[in-house]
Amino acid sequence: MSLLELKNISKSYLSKVGNFQVINKLNLSVDHNQNIFLFGPSGCGKSTLLNLISGLDNSDSGEIYFGGKLLKDHFELLKDDIGIIFQDHYLISELNIFDNIKLKSNDTRRIEKILSYFDMTNFKFKYPNQLSNGQKQRVCVARSLVNKPKLLIADEPTSYLDKENAKLVIDLILDSSKKFNLSTIIASHDISFRPLFDKSYTIEDKSIIEC
């Protein structure tokens, strides 16, 4: 049984010139402990698809199954089973790193364990403005994993990073997939990461294509 299954998912938005369809009858299956790479140019629908999977947006039609169950409300999934890494870090500048992660979970032992695994224990009392962009994104990876999710979604997590730090973040995500037994869906325009993943897809003509 797949961890995640999308069946005939469609999504459109109302624009000044009428209805603009982004995704049309899209189907996708993600297995347990599988790493998926999603690439394509800006505007092709990558972020829309990830938002639909994570529950940050709703589809017009179609069904999404998680762990074999039809999803009707994403709230519990977002709290426990799905971790999200955004393009921007969304760290609160007035809070240190430990307290930023604690907003996601009160399990201080788990936070300590994650920070130790990522070799970031020395960051925990620092503030976001004291970290580099690469360090901030590493914190975001840690924050996304603190609730022990089954699926990690990342939307262009390396877009603000140089090549070296981008590779470090992707490696960190994929290593975490093995360490914590989770599936990942990573969207990026940088196709150099494609060989690192189990499967790769792009969105063309409002549908998803394995390639």
Side-chain angles (χ1 to χ4, degrees), residues 4 8 29 45 52 77 88 123 157 161 164 182 195 201:
L4 175 73
N8 296 315
S29 180
L52 294 175
L77 279 181
D88 205 346
F123 290 177
L161 305 179
E164 182 179 355
L182 53 93
Y201 295 88

Side-chain angles (χ1 to χ4, degrees), residues 10-23 48 57-60:
S10 296
K11 179 65 181 179
S12 60
Y13 295 99
L14 189 62
S15 69
K16 292 181 180 179
V17 294
N19 241 24
F20 176 70
Q21 189 161 46
V22 183
I23 290 172
T48 296
D57 201 353
N58 296 313
S59 64
D60 298 330

Side-chain angles (χ1 to χ4, degrees), residues 73-86:
D73 185 354
H74 276 63
F75 176 75
E76 291 300 322
L77 279 181
L78 281 173
K79 190 173 73 171
D80 296 319
D81 291 328
I82 295 180
I84 303 175
I85 304 170
F86 299 97

